[in-house]
Amino acid sequence: MMIQTIKTTPYGDQKPGTSGLRKRVTVYQQPHYVENYLQAIFDSLEGFDGQTLVIGGDGRFYNDVAIQTAIRMAAANGFGRVLVGQGGLLSTPAASHVIRHHKAYGGLVLSASHNPGGPDGDFGIKYNIGNGGPAPERITDAAYERTKVIDTYKTIDAPDVALDQIGTQHSGEMVVEVIDPVADYAALMETLFDFDAIRALFASGFRMTFDAMNAITGPYAHAILEDKLGAPKGTVKNGTPLPDFGQGHPDPNLVYCKDMFDLMMTPDGPDFGAASDGDGDRNLIIGKNRFVTPSDSLALLAANAHLAPGYKSGIAGIARSMPTSAAADRVADKLGIEMHETPTGWKFFGNLLDAGRVTICGEESAGTGSDHVREKDGLWAVLLWLNIVAVRKQGVDEIVREHWATFGRNYYTRHDYEEVDATIAGKLVDDLRAQLPSLPGKNFGEDLQVAYADDFKYLDPVDGSTSAKQGVRIGFTDGSRIVLRLSGTGTVGATLRLYLERYEAADGRHDLETQTALEPLIGLSEQLAGIKQRTGRKDPSVIT
Ligand code: G16
């Protein structure tokens, strides 16, 4: 095998964000851009000689090119074997499982998640470690440092691998196994959930609609929901992964799944609606007449997980990202289990899961998952919901209302201002940060008294590492919160995320419209941060 060492020059913009390196496809198409980043990752790792690397992506435009490049570079850098999903496909949670199941050294997940795809869309590369989870900051930081000085990369002169043919091939001397992207994952789901109960639910006439958004979950949802669980054919919509996601925006929220939401609010609509994103790690859950916020979903899944065989002996603890509502905290409190608040980014859950301190994790950004893999998992959340509905023999709306009547309701919304001028956005957050020391004790209106105001800093209780400047928090004595942070996944300008939360006790009013319930906090956040005034925007780009 002739290893080629190719000269290159650094790019200055290869700093990974919340979840890997996400850029426009046109940025990735620059000469050696993919190669530089991959070599920087490999240079930041040790001891992988002869080991297995998993490679897969969400099928978006440029996946095929990047995968062939990655295979040749893995061979040149000394990996002994690559496992790659047929057609280059692997959902993010399935990639996590394949890494764990086959005891791989690590994996490359090629995806920009929920961001649009196609030649004018986004592309991304993320490295996952041997526990199946996103690389921690010490590795992503090292890779970034390396990208600044990189001057060569290694590859081999070998033909493309036939990604459509399941079975063993070679790239140079390295073994390449093209695997069924669904099989291992579907088998894992069968060990966690009561498939008989869910089968009986569908057999009884329970109607579901699942939108795969022309993205990766199509093959998984067809195989599991329709083939294994007996949901009628046609339950899964948009089930073929397309390189441009059918020109859609594969983000399962109320903006991009509005049609489904409207359908679920009609008297004849299905009993259960769900969707997943570009790479299959996010989820949307809507019952008949009831949208479940991701924060509530985390709390509900944690409170009811024992109804599924995989969690029947209870859960060890719960973790949520800081901006996620505190609904899950009340569940942890009642169950007497550990509760952890981490920075945004699934990578921060890895240590807690590995240490067995938490079983279920979730984020306001439509992500929920458990210790079965080390990524959030869209279909897992859907299956746990179905398992709970099947065992409790209640609809989603009834289950949600009973939960609020037991734990109280955390009204919650997120307002996003996308593609804002990065300088204005940065200054706005800095200015709010500067006000923080003066806020505690201040009263706003009749009800709002500031209890604390800080910039979230996380101390990982497992490895002692710290992560500072993870978002501005202003907490009030009644449990309300305003949180502001800059997104780490956007590819153009800056995205400001404003998170608003208000707690209503178990015996309080749970039927208010969300934006109405949060009106005073929305007004106060404008008074303190001035987002509309300083960005010139009349409204948020997206409200979730
Ligand atoms: C990624 C991360 C999540 C994070 C989300 C939003 O999700 O894995 O942990 O919550 O981005 O991050 P930000 O607020 O910084 O944009 P995904 O689904 O895009 O991989």
Side-chain angles (χ1 to χ4, degrees):
M1 182 169 72
M2 260 304 269
I3 296 172
Q4 302 175 327
T5 302
I6 312 283
K7 281 204 165 26
T8 187
T9 47
Y11 286 91
D13 64 347
Q14 296 195 315
K15 185 174 172 52
T18 307
S19 185
L21 184 70
R22 288 188 194 165
K23 299 282 177 192
R24 285 279 193 251
V25 166
T26 45
V27 172
Y28 265 106
Q29 284 171 325
Q30 298 174 92
H32 311 313
Y33 196 89
V34 169
E35 290 87 342
N36 278 16
Y37 190 58
L38 290 176
Q39 190 64 53
I41 293 172
F42 294 150
D43 288 349
S44 313
L45 306 173
E46 280 172 357
F48 56 78
D49 206 43
Q51 302 279 316
T52 299
L53 181 72
V54 172
I55 304 180
D58 59 12
R60 70 177 57 225
F61 184 83
Y62 215 54
N63 249 23
D64 45 358
V65 177
I67 285 179
Q68 299 292 354
T69 301
I71 290 173
R72 281 189 273 267
M73 287 184 64
N77 277 275
F79 279 96
R81 183 171 76 139
V82 155
L83 296 180
V84 57
Q86 187 180 27
L89 299 179
L90 275 178
S91 76
T92 291
S96 182
H97 178 55
V98 170
I99 293 169
R100 295 165 67 76
H101 188 63
H102 295 275
K103 304 201 168 24
Y105 179 87
L108 292 169
V109 180
L110 307 179
S111 168
S113 189
H114 56 287
N115 296 15
D120 302 320
D122 290 345
F123 189 72
I125 298 179
K126 185 170 71 157
Y127 177 71
N128 282 23
I129 58 175
N131 75 351
E137 282 183 331
R138 72 184 150 73
I139 294 180
T140 54
D141 288 349
Y144 175 49
E145 291 307 315
R146 184 77 192 126
T147 65
K148 294 184 196 166
V149 294
I150 195 152
D151 56 3
T152 57
Y153 67 85
K154 285 191 216 154
T155 188
I156 58 167
D157 184 14
D160 282 357
V161 165
L163 290 174
D164 52 341
Q165 280 171 34
I166 289 195
T168 305
Q169 304 172 43
H170 286 84
S171 184
E173 283 157 21
M174 185 183 73
V175 173
V176 179
E177 284 179 32
V178 179
I179 59 170
D180 177 338
V182 177
D184 287 337
Y185 178 83
L188 173 66
M189 292 300 113
E190 225 161 330
T191 66
L192 299 176
F193 302 115
D194 187 343
F195 271 34
D196 287 339
I198 304 174
R199 238 177 248 127
L201 180 72
F202 283 123
S204 73
F206 183 84
R207 288 189 304 137
M208 169 175 181
T209 181
F210 180 87
D211 189 351
M213 306 189 90
N214 301 303
I216 192 69
T217 40
Y220 296 85
H222 279 304
I224 296 172
L225 296 174
E226 295 178 350
D227 300 346
K228 282 183 185 281
L229 293 170
K233 295 275 179 226
T235 297
V236 177
K237 311 274 190 309
N238 303 316
T240 304
L242 301 174
D244 65 350
F245 307 121
Q247 305 204 328
H249 191 145
D251 192 357
N253 61 32
L254 296 185
V255 175
Y256 302 114
C257 294
K258 177 150 190 330
D259 289 352
M260 180 195 289
F261 176 81
D262 291 344
L263 176 70
M264 296 304 299
M265 297 302 125
T266 58
D268 300 330
D271 301 294
F272 191 82
S276 190
D277 71 329
D279 63 331
D281 56 3
R282 297 185 173 207
N283 72 85
L284 170 72
I285 304 290
I286 312 178
K288 201 188 257 301
N289 292 315
R290 173 64 57 201
F291 159 64
V292 188
T293 69
S295 293
D296 274 349
S297 187
L298 169 65
L300 272 145
L301 293 179
N304 291 281
H306 60 281
L307 301 177
Y311 309 93
K312 66 174 187 294
S313 47
I315 57 174
I318 311 173
R320 64 166 172 82
S321 66
M322 181 274 283
T324 305
S325 97
D329 301 33
R330 298 179 188 277
V331 175
D333 198 35
K334 179 152 182 218
L335 295 177
I337 56 176
E338 286 190 36
M339 181 75 220
H340 295 270
E341 187 178 40
T342 61
T344 296
W346 204 264
K347 60 188 169 215
F348 293 102
F349 294 138
N351 279 345
L352 295 167
L353 289 163
D354 283 352
R357 299 194 46 178
V358 303
T359 307
I360 289 194
C361 308
E363 297 187 282
E364 51 67 38
S365 57
T368 356
S370 86
D371 59 358
H372 67 292
V373 289
R374 293 294 181 275
E375 289 278 5
K376 55 190 186 278
D377 187 345
L379 264 176
W380 170 90
V382 171
L383 291 168
L384 181 50
W385 261 104
L386 289 172
N387 193 138
I388 292 166
V389 167
V391 174
R392 286 184 54 161
K393 301 194 189 323
Q394 289 174 298
V396 171
D397 183 46
E398 205 182 340
I399 293 174
V400 170
R401 284 173 184 280
E402 277 190 23
H403 186 90
W404 290 339
T406 310
F407 295 95
R409 176 174 183 183
N410 290 69
Y411 284 102
Y412 186 82
T413 192
R414 186 178 97 189
H415 291 191
D416 291 342
Y417 294 81
E418 294 173 347
E419 299 189 15
V420 170
D421 179 282
T423 314
I424 294 178
K427 178 94 173 48
L428 191 150
V429 176
D430 284 346
D431 288 349
L432 182 61
R433 208 174 263 138
Q435 291 183 55
L436 296 177
S438 68
L439 292 179
K442 267 197 183 160
N443 290 299
F444 295 97
E446 283 175 22
D447 303 325
L448 292 170
Q449 185 182 47
V450 178
Y452 63 89
D454 63 9
D455 200 348
F456 181 55
K457 183 174 174 190
Y458 179 61
L459 168 66
D460 185 315
V462 180
D463 68 10
S465 60
T466 55
S467 304
K469 290 197 162 181
Q470 294 294 332
V472 170
R473 316 187 283 186
I474 303 170
F476 299 87
T477 48
D478 68 350
S480 297
R481 274 197 324 168
I482 295 173
V483 172
L484 182 71
R485 60 178 280 280
L486 289 167
S487 156
T489 56
T491 53
V492 178
T495 294
L496 279 163
R497 300 206 198 282
L498 176 68
Y499 313 81
L500 304 151
E501 172 178 4
R502 186 192 121 194
Y503 178 65
E504 186 78 31
D507 58 358
R509 282 197 67 180
H510 300 150
D511 58 351
L512 295 174
E513 193 276 320
T514 301
Q515 302 303 313
T516 311
L518 294 167
E519 190 63 59
L521 286 169
I522 296 171
L524 178 56
S525 56
E526 182 59 24
Q527 187 185 324
L528 293 173
I531 301 179
K532 289 182 181 153
Q533 191 236 323
R534 296 172 69 161
T535 61
R537 303 283 175 93
K538 282 218 310 273
D539 293 302
S541 329
V542 178
I543 294 181
T544 54

